[in-house]
Amino acid sequence: MINTQPSVPRLLAAPSPSLHDHSRTFGPRPSPSAAELIGELERAGLDGRGGAGFPAHRKLHAVAAQPRKRGARIVIGNGSEGEPLSAKDAVLLASAPHLVIDGLLICADALGATEARLVVGPSTAGVVRAALAERSDAHAIRLHAESGGFVGGEASAVVAGLAGRRPVPADRPVRLAVSGLHRRPTLVQNVETLAHIALIARYGAAWHRSVGTTDAPGTRLVSVSWGDTSPRVFEVSGGSPLRSLLDAAGAPVTFPALVGGFHGAWVPASALDAPLSASGLAPHGASPGAGILHPLAEDACGIQVTARTLATLAAASAGQCGPCANGLPRIAQLMRELLAGADTTAELRRIAGLIDGRGACHHPDGTVRMLRSALVVFADDIAAHAHGRCLTRSEVRA
Amino acid sequence: MTSLHIDWTACHGRGACIELLDGVLRPDDWGYPTGTGGSDVPIPADRVRDARDAVSLCPRLALSVRPSSRP
């Protein structure tokens, strides 16, 4: 059954970011064993909140399974949040830094890690530094303030940055869980995932599942924006219908929405009753990703917004991988031509096919996924542009 | 099944592998090797030897042969 009340404060339940309010709201930090923690997270059905949605317990298990001779384990909290439409990690770190720190320490204790790193954006470094200084149990955590850009938040890019190299994704023949930072078994979790871990370790899987839906249990932080508005962040129950989330944020609900972020997919207005869950969004080629909802503003042209987004994504390529470094600028150029009225859709689809799966990270894959969804959802706009008209303006600008 | 892994961060599209694995790999618009399977291209049993030659002759050391595609 779907919980119809979208806003549920759990991660954001404490009245202030202070340690005092954190302890009063949530109680002491538990220290479950690796087996206990992994079991509870599996029963809770917690998926990673950085964008890929990988099950949290499987990442922990992969590191826990490494023999000790591979070196001391390291845990990394990733709050670098390179996605321009996302603000939830910054809001979480500013509102509940101690919950993130708890989650990092719970994972470190369970894995026997003696070293932990917390990577945050420059805007939240101050509040997190102050939170670490308030505690007596956080000496193992080193704070890093990074602004690595769009692809700099990818797990292997974060590890490269921490090792002093350029923060760009790496070809990963071996998983980070086996050989990560300094070639040691490394757990990288998004900061929202860590905050959920801190709550599940306290209250258990059944509590986590007491809100949300069977396939999207618990709560999730979402960032809602449209037009040029700054993203606003809400904590909502998993599986809430997109429309209810947009309504609650006062966002437009009669136009297509970009779901999941720049690497997400456009969902048509007719499908906004779909739930914010992996299975609910799969028929539309979308996923919750990092929890981003970006409906088209009333006076905006979907082709123009998509063209601008693809130009940003092309510029964000680390430039390491040929198909991405060459293909994304080509797509950005073809989109400008499409905007100006040339029908470049067939060539766009052909180039997209040359890019799929041919990079060290998923930047090229995510980019062409978003492109393909735009070609479907904005098909009427494309046809109008080909006739020199725009559905949202009187004529197409050259 | 054997597969050929391409490290795209190393590959510069020099094309030695495309010549050695004619019929398995072809150049894309920019000269980078394309086969089925993205970064891990399945290699038929009778071409594994050519794939191993491609690994050793790649000027960028961008290739590796693996027993199966990675999970």
Side-chain angles (χ1 to χ4, degrees), chain A residues 256-257 266 296 301-303 305-306 373-383:
Chain A
W266 287 98
L296 202 61
C301 165
I303 303 175
V305 172
T306 302
S373 73
L375 295 180
V376 172
V377 170
F378 298 120
D380 291 348
D381 300 76
I382 291 168

Side-chain angles (χ1 to χ4, degrees), chain A residues 133-306:
Chain A
E134 271 187 293
R135 306 174 63 124
S136 57
D137 61 349
H139 52 272
I141 298 178
R142 272 172 64 186
L143 178 68
H144 301 261
E146 309 277 348
S147 51
F150 195 89
V151 301
E154 193 265 348
S156 70
V158 167
V159 167
L162 291 178
R165 300 191 301 272
R166 186 178 166 222
V168 292
D171 182 57
R172 274 193 287 166
V174 181
R175 290 179 301 163
L176 294 172
V178 178
S179 178
L181 184 59
H182 306 317
R183 300 191 178 175
R184 287 152 55 177
T186 301
L187 176 75
V188 183
Q189 294 280 22
N190 169 262
V191 290
E192 184 192 337
T193 315
L194 291 172
H196 283 293
I197 288 173
L199 294 182
I200 292 166
R202 283 177 167 88
Y203 310 132
W207 171 86
H208 181 72
R209 285 184 171 277
S210 66
V211 303
T213 56
T214 308
D215 67 335
T219 65
R220 161 184 289 284
L221 297 175
V222 297
S223 304
V224 184
S225 63
W226 61 99
D228 294 323
T229 64
S230 298
R232 288 174 62 203
V233 175
F234 302 86
E235 183 172 12
V236 303
S237 51
S240 300
L242 303 179
R243 188 184 303 281
S244 71
L245 303 178
L246 296 173
D247 270 335
V253 291
T254 51
F255 307 107
L258 183 60
V259 177
F262 278 15
H263 283 169
W266 287 98
V267 171
S270 60
L272 291 182
D273 290 317
L276 184 67
S277 69
S279 59
L281 292 172
H284 309 289
S287 73
I292 288 157
L293 296 174
H294 184 72
L296 202 61
E298 187 178 6
D299 55 350
C301 165
I303 303 175
Q304 188 172 43
V305 172
T306 302

Side-chain angles (χ1 to χ4, degrees), chain B residues 1-69:
Chain B
M1 179 162 187
T2 303
S3 67
L4 182 70
H5 177 72
I6 303 166
D7 175 356
W8 297 107
T9 68
C11 176
H12 278 192
R14 299 284 189 86
C17 58
I18 296 170
E19 282 191 31
L20 287 162
L21 286 163
D22 181 37
V24 176
L25 296 176
R26 60 185 189 284
D28 67 11
D29 286 23
W30 311 286
Y32 294 89
T34 314
T36 54
S39 299
D40 295 277
V41 180
I43 303 295
D46 62 344
R47 302 300 297 278
V48 170
R49 192 170 182 160
D50 293 332
R52 292 194 191 283
D53 285 348
V55 170
S56 54
L57 290 173
C58 173
R60 299 283 308 163
L61 305 177
L63 300 174
S64 51
V65 166
R66 306 207 177 148
S68 65
S69 59

